[in-house]
Amino acid sequence: MGKITGFLDHPRQHESSEAPAQRKRHWHEFISHLDDEAARLQAARCMDCGIPFCHNGCPVNNVIPDFNDLVYKQDWKRALDVLQSTNNFPEFTGRICPAPCEAACTLNISGDAVGIKSIEHKIIDKGWDEGWVTPQPAARKTGKKVAVVGSGPAGLAAAQQLARAGHDVTVFEKNDRAGGLLRYGIPDFKLEKGHIDRRLEQMRGEGVRFRTGVFVGSADDAKTSGAAEAVTPAQLQQDFDAVVIAGGAETPRDLPVPGRELDGVHFAMDFLPQQNRVNAGDALDQQIHAGAKHVVVIGGGDTGSDCVGTSNRHGAEAVTQFELLPQPPEQENKPLVWPYWPIRLRTSSSHEEGCQRDWSVATKRFNDDGQGRVKSLTGVRLKWENGKMAEVPGSEFEIRADLVLLAMGFVSPVQGVLDAFGVDKDKRGNAKATTDGEGCYRTSVNKVFAAGDMRRGQSLVVWAIREGRQCARAVDEFLMGASTLPR
């Protein structure tokens, strides 16, 4: 620890952000990292707690007390080395991770946690600014070839680790640009895509090849996905010594109620990627646009929040967000839930920009304007007793809805990809593979491994990075008999 009394002397300091009225006018990031001195004082708050629960709370097991101590000492280069020893992409997690490490911080028992995420953000941005983040090519090549299917955080982490182990790695991505959900899903105001581009350049410097516009599966599925080219799993298994499938969980949860077929009712992941493409300079014929509309977002998670922020930037007349579950408490019972992730009311930056939120609401139907378009939503209030929900009698209501966005999560990977590989699935439709013991991350098909949301189910970017790293080690052990890659 850098300063014995730091947690007593210095309050938590939050990163500064642009005011909502201004940031709604553009698509750029609006949160600024801490300056050197503010980061040093924040790092000084890290106490000698004996057991760093933050380390376990972080899915990639960041060595948080160590890089906090180095930041306090202003030894930024070593702090970066410590951070990158466990996390391939701190610029992603430092911006979009919900920070389970902070929930597990010992200070969080009775006060404000150390601003771990803000320190991580500062370290990696300083590393890029100083030119310390450079390619790390392998000293020796193994002669083994690995195909990685999917270029989201799990695929990118696996690819980078395998390339650094000396393998020849090719990443296959069905979209026209690499990045997966980071590229086409997370809005630019949360993660500008230049962060992805410069990381891809680093990986190219390490020998990773990227083949975009290539769908791995059947030719018919390739046409549906919009990919320009199709490659069969059999081809990959023939041409490569190992294959990692890390394509994500992309099947959205639907809402089968009357009126679902009406024009103006869309999945969130039909809506969000379009704006990413527009921001990238692509021309779209018919963009789903919220301008001057009354928008209803169904689903209270991160994807729903992203729909709120995007709708506000479109110039929506009004945005309402419904959640099926009851409103959580504003403050969790810390002694009861610490160090685990607490259920409490969370207000995102998008909510701050303008949104009417409502809980314990179920959708009964979408109503037609007579021309095949949605004009309103009929909902009903719910009551929850013993974990079961029931409609409140006489509580039906109608709300204007010119655009409805379904953001209720994802149920499984695209089944056609897994079917094409012929891998066994679990009960939720994910690729079946264990994460420990002999054969971890290995599917039922020889040479084929699975990682990320395609194996785990819908989860966080930081979990995807963990899975990609661990899967890379499993592949390296499979190919070489042993591995020096960290697990």
Side-chain angles (χ1 to χ4, degrees):
M1 60 186 299
K3 185 179 181 183
I4 294 176
T5 60
F7 66 99
L8 297 172
D9 298 339
H10 306 297
R12 178 181 171 111
Q13 180 175 337
H14 296 276
E15 296 171 307
S16 62
S17 61
E18 192 176 357
Q22 280 72 49
R23 68 192 190 221
K24 285 197 299 181
R25 300 173 183 172
H26 61 76
W27 296 95
H28 302 295
E29 292 177 12
F30 52 82
I31 295 177
S32 301
H33 59 229
L34 302 175
D35 61 30
D36 288 13
E37 179 60 15
R40 188 182 77 86
L41 295 179
Q42 187 60 220
R45 300 183 67 239
C46 187
M47 60 192 297
D48 188 8
C49 59
I51 299 175
F53 288 89
C54 58
H55 179 71
N56 264 358
C58 173
V60 293
N61 301 126
N62 278 338
V63 193
I64 294 163
D66 289 33
F67 69 61
N68 281 342
D69 181 54
L70 291 165
V71 168
Y72 176 74
K73 296 173 180 175
Q74 299 287 276
D75 192 345
W76 293 98
K77 180 64 169 63
R78 289 180 61 201
L80 177 67
D81 291 341
V82 170
L83 178 57
Q84 292 197 127
S85 70
T86 56
N87 187 351
N88 293 70
F89 314 119
E91 64 270 38
F92 303 157
T93 53
R95 286 169 167 80
I96 61 177
C97 184
C101 55
E102 294 186 12
C105 174
T106 301
L107 276 181
N108 196 46
I109 297 175
S110 58
D112 293 327
V114 175
I116 301 167
K117 179 179 174 180
S118 65
I119 295 171
E120 179 180 27
H121 184 186
K122 172 64 177 180
I123 293 171
I124 186 60
D125 279 13
K126 192 173 186 71
W128 281 108
D129 292 343
E130 296 292 338
W132 296 332
V133 184
T134 58
Q136 301 176 33
R140 291 181 298 275
K141 288 288 190 178
T142 64
K144 302 291 186 179
K145 297 196 299 182
V146 183
V148 176
V149 181
S151 67
L156 292 180
Q160 185 166 65
Q161 292 295 96
L162 288 165
R164 290 176 176 178
H167 306 305
D168 291 321
V169 181
T170 302
V171 177
F172 294 85
E173 169 57 52
K174 69 178 184 296
N175 289 312
D176 57 345
R177 299 178 180 93
L181 181 69
L182 298 168
R183 174 79 65 181
Y184 293 125
I186 295 175
D188 291 66
F189 58 81
K190 289 175 64 176
L191 179 70
E192 292 188 25
K193 307 317 172 195
H195 301 300
I196 305 172
D197 295 335
R198 65 183 178 184
R199 192 56 87 165
L200 297 177
E201 283 305 304
Q202 182 205 30
M203 293 177 65
R204 290 187 180 98
E206 295 169 346
V208 178
R209 295 179 61 229
F210 291 92
R211 291 187 58 187
T212 56
V214 179
F215 183 89
V216 177
S218 69
D220 289 341
D221 285 340
K223 290 179 181 178
T224 302
S225 72
E229 180 184 351
V231 173
T232 66
Q235 287 176 274
L236 295 187
Q237 290 170 278
Q238 177 181 327
D239 296 342
F240 293 87
D241 299 294
V243 179
V244 176
I245 50 175
E250 295 185 300
T251 303
R253 182 173 284 107
D254 207 346
L255 186 59
V257 298
R260 170 63 182 89
E261 77 288 348
L262 293 173
D263 188 17
V265 181
H266 303 277
F267 287 120
M269 291 307 293
D270 291 332
F271 174 67
L272 295 173
Q274 288 190 349
Q275 189 58 52
N276 292 134
R277 291 186 178 279
V278 170
N279 291 346
D282 295 350
L284 301 183
D285 291 336
Q286 292 182 323
Q287 182 185 1
I288 303 169
H289 205 278
K293 294 179 180 177
H294 286 250
V295 180
V296 176
V297 179
I298 300 177
D302 288 341
T303 304
S305 172
D306 292 343
C307 289
V308 171
T310 300
S311 297
N312 279 325
R313 282 162 178 76
H314 281 179
E317 182 69 24
V319 182
T320 303
Q321 185 176 26
F322 289 142
E323 169 58 56
L324 193 70
L325 297 172
Q327 181 175 343
E330 291 192 13
Q331 182 62 56
E332 74 272 23
N333 185 340
K334 289 185 177 183
L336 179 66
V337 300
W338 180 89
Y340 300 108
W341 184 248
I343 301 300
R344 62 175 174 82
L345 181 63
R346 300 176 190 277
T347 299
S348 72
S349 60
S350 292
H351 295 140
E352 294 171 355
E353 295 162 3
C355 176
Q356 179 66 43
R357 305 165 74 186
D358 206 348
W359 289 265
S360 295
V361 173
T363 301
K364 298 286 287 184
R365 61 186 174 273
F366 302 117
N367 303 307
D368 194 336
D369 69 351
Q371 298 180 359
R373 283 196 57 84
V374 65
K375 71 169 183 178
S376 64
L377 175 154
T378 298
V380 65
R381 301 283 171 188
L382 301 174
K383 59 182 178 181
W384 291 81
E385 295 177 353
N386 300 320
K388 297 181 180 179
M389 68 177 187
E391 295 183 6
V392 176
S395 66
E396 274 199 15
F397 65 91
E398 186 173 341
I399 181 174
R400 178 177 171 181
D402 307 312
L403 175 63
V404 177
L405 300 172
L406 307 180
M408 302 173 294
F410 303 87
V411 295
S412 71
V414 176
Q415 295 302 299
V417 176
L418 298 183
D419 291 340
F421 275 97
V423 302
D424 289 347
K425 306 173 192 174
D426 64 18
K427 293 179 180 179
R428 297 182 298 164
N430 301 320
K432 191 174 183 180
T434 63
T435 59
D436 51 21
E438 187 176 351
C440 64
Y441 289 93
R442 200 180 305 183
T443 70
S444 58
V445 177
N446 184 40
K447 302 198 304 183
V448 178
F449 295 73
D453 290 4
M454 187 164 269
R455 189 209 67 81
R456 176 184 172 85
Q458 177 191 357
S459 192
L460 303 174
V461 167
V462 68
W463 271 106
I465 294 172
R466 171 196 172 109
E467 294 245 329
R469 288 172 62 88
Q470 292 189 345
C471 182
R473 180 182 170 92
V475 172
D476 193 32
E477 287 178 335
F478 169 75
L479 295 175
M480 308 303 294
S483 178
T484 58
L485 290 174
R487 194 181 191 282

